[in-house]
Amino acid sequence: LSQSDDTFVEGYLQALLDMHYYEFKLHVKVQDKKATLYNLPTNSVTGSSIVRFVEDFPGIEVVQTYNERELAIAKEQGEIKPEDGVIALTEPIDDPDSVKSIWFPQSTMLFPYPVADPHRVAYSLSVRREEKGTFNDTGTVVASFGDTFPIKRWLNVGPFYGDLQLSIDGAAWGYFEQNSEQELINTDYYVGIPISYAFDDWSFRLRYYHMSSHLGDEYMVSNPTVTRLNPSMEALDFLASRYINSSWRVYGGLGYIIRSDSSFPLDKMYLEGGVECRPPEATKVINHIHFQPYWALHSRSSQYDGWNMDYTANIGYEMSKLQNIGRKVRLFLELHDGRSYQGQFAKERQKHVSFNL
């Protein structure tokens, strides 16, 4: 690239960053196919998505970023002048014209849902064969419809200058017996109000939610001896998550069941946690789509189940426009050993393997 090419690419990139990430007031310099980014957000997930956005730009071969110490040295050496308006990664933007909050943000979730959680909020279809459980003779087909809607995000909040977001999410899981009639066994319903906070490699979620379940009419007709219960509850939980590096995420926390129906009483406390791995060196880019292998393990232990551990493991591929963030399509194999997580059958132990989209 010539100097004029550098200037053109720099101006083009700056315009794209101002359009897609305007709230962060990013600053980019380009020289000899190397882009230098300043003012990245403290949330490392969002920051890494911006870096990958620049890496995918034609003509850019290297992307570097400045942290607070490196930026101070660069200012001392005169590489960055005060009039450039460049600040450190971990400093707040003290600018009366800067964006303080965003209604209906469209960028990545601050606390991504654990991908191996049996009750993950997503659109999905799975075919399940049980080795042990209520429906091991026929197996089940599970379809879910779920999404998260971010309402408002506040920027540079608290001593860590993180992002704080209020959202609402909801989902429904339908379980169908895998026989000639495809009878609906039961449907689980969920609605939650998560509050998320993220900075650096850390993210946190405080969530109040409701869960309820209803037996399918077809299942009750075919099984007249089954008594319908009303598994319904409201709960509050808190999870903390950390990205150890570009591949590994760990998370964990606890929950408290505020109320459960008298026909299906639940003791109050539960613990859950897990780990996810996405090796970036194994990622393939085809037609600007990232194909990334991953594996994940989710575990949960509940007071009402005698603190027995439940395990759910996933291994598969996820496809996305940007690596690690945004909406994804996943194809994976799931192994589960523990409670069934299925309405009034949720207290029964189950082992299953399933193929999922």
Side-chain angles (χ1 to χ4, degrees):
L1 290 174
S2 65
Q3 182 62 41
S4 61
D5 291 330
D6 283 342
T7 303
F8 174 78
V9 172
E10 182 179 298
Y12 204 138
L13 263 177
Q14 188 67 62
L16 289 175
L17 292 171
D18 290 343
M19 180 173 65
H20 293 292
Y21 302 98
Y22 73 97
E23 63 268 21
F24 301 116
K25 289 193 175 293
L26 298 161
H27 192 77
V28 63
K29 292 286 187 181
V30 176
Q31 184 176 7
D32 299 329
K33 299 184 179 181
K34 180 175 72 176
T36 305
L37 287 169
Y38 310 91
N39 303 357
L40 282 175
T42 60
N43 180 3
S44 65
V45 178
T46 305
S48 65
S49 75
I50 295 171
V51 170
R52 291 188 174 94
F53 179 83
V54 176
E55 285 176 341
D56 287 342
F57 191 83
I60 297 297
E61 295 181 353
V62 178
V63 177
Q64 68 175 14
T65 61
Y66 274 96
N67 62 28
E68 191 170 6
R69 179 176 176 276
E70 293 166 340
L71 184 59
I73 294 173
K75 287 181 177 179
E76 289 178 3
Q77 296 176 346
E79 298 176 11
I80 300 172
K81 299 178 176 59
E83 57 267 26
D84 289 336
V86 176
I87 61 174
L89 281 157
T90 55
E91 291 183 17
I93 300 176
D94 188 13
D95 181 352
D97 297 325
S98 65
V99 177
K100 306 298 183 183
S101 63
I102 313 164
W103 284 100
F104 315 130
Q106 298 299 304
S107 55
T108 182
M109 293 173 62
L110 298 185
F111 190 97
Y113 261 92
V115 296
D117 186 348
H119 268 162
R120 55 191 166 267
V121 174
Y123 301 96
S124 69
L125 179 67
S126 66
V127 179
R128 175 187 301 178
R129 299 299 298 178
E130 298 182 18
E131 298 177 14
K132 176 185 176 183
T134 305
F135 306 101
N136 62 324
D137 293 332
T138 58
T140 53
V141 174
V142 185
S144 75
F145 300 86
D147 211 339
T148 298
F149 185 80
I151 298 173
K152 191 168 186 179
R153 180 180 295 183
W154 293 267
L155 308 178
N156 298 317
V157 175
F160 301 104
Y161 307 116
D163 295 343
L164 179 70
Q165 181 167 295
L166 173 67
S167 305
I168 184 169
D169 52 17
W173 296 266
Y175 301 85
F176 299 85
E177 197 163 0
Q178 197 174 350
N179 55 25
S180 58
E181 290 81 19
Q182 292 291 319
E183 294 178 353
L184 175 63
I185 302 169
N186 75 283
T187 308
D188 296 340
Y189 297 95
Y190 158 85
V191 62
I193 303 175
I195 299 174
S196 306
Y197 182 73
F199 69 93
D200 293 339
D201 300 320
W202 291 91
S203 59
F204 306 88
R205 186 194 70 190
L206 178 67
R207 177 183 62 162
Y208 174 81
Y209 68 94
H210 165 84
M211 285 281 296
S212 61
S213 180
H214 304 274
L215 277 182
D217 293 338
E218 297 163 323
Y219 180 78
M220 287 191 289
V221 169
S222 299
N223 299 270
T225 60
V226 174
T227 301
R228 182 193 178 279
L229 304 177
N230 183 30
S232 174
M233 71 170 188
E234 286 78 43
L236 186 72
D237 64 9
F238 176 79
L239 289 180
S241 167
R242 187 187 180 193
Y243 287 89
I244 299 175
N245 52 38
S246 60
S247 296
W248 292 89
R249 177 197 185 198
V250 295
Y251 62 90
L254 54 87
Y256 181 81
I257 298 174
I258 299 171
R259 183 206 67 86
S260 59
D261 191 84
S262 57
S263 68
F264 200 82
L266 301 172
D267 292 329
K268 302 298 185 180
M269 301 296 298
Y270 64 87
L271 304 171
E272 60 184 349
V275 60
E276 299 172 4
C277 178
R278 296 174 173 86
E281 65 276 3
T283 301
K284 304 295 182 183
V285 181
I286 303 173
N287 293 329
H288 300 286
I289 301 296
H290 291 263
F291 291 78
Q292 187 168 43
Y294 80 96
W295 70 265
L297 176 68
H298 181 85
S299 63
R300 176 166 167 152
S301 179
S302 306
Q303 184 179 3
Y304 62 79
D305 192 37
W307 297 111
N308 291 313
M309 295 294 294
D310 305 331
Y311 298 99
T312 307
N314 289 180
I315 183 169
Y317 261 87
E318 58 186 18
M319 293 146 276
S320 61
K321 196 69 175 177
L322 293 173
Q323 189 174 350
N324 287 342
I325 68 159
R327 294 192 177 274
K328 303 176 179 66
V329 174
R330 292 191 181 97
L331 287 169
F332 61 95
L333 188 70
E334 179 175 278
L335 305 174
H336 176 79
D337 185 359
R339 293 184 306 109
S340 74
Y341 288 86
Q342 186 174 328
Q344 71 181 60
F345 311 102
K347 294 182 180 181
E348 299 179 10
R349 307 297 291 180
Q350 177 194 77
K351 290 183 180 180
H352 74 244
V353 58
S354 63
F355 181 77
N356 302 261
L357 167 64

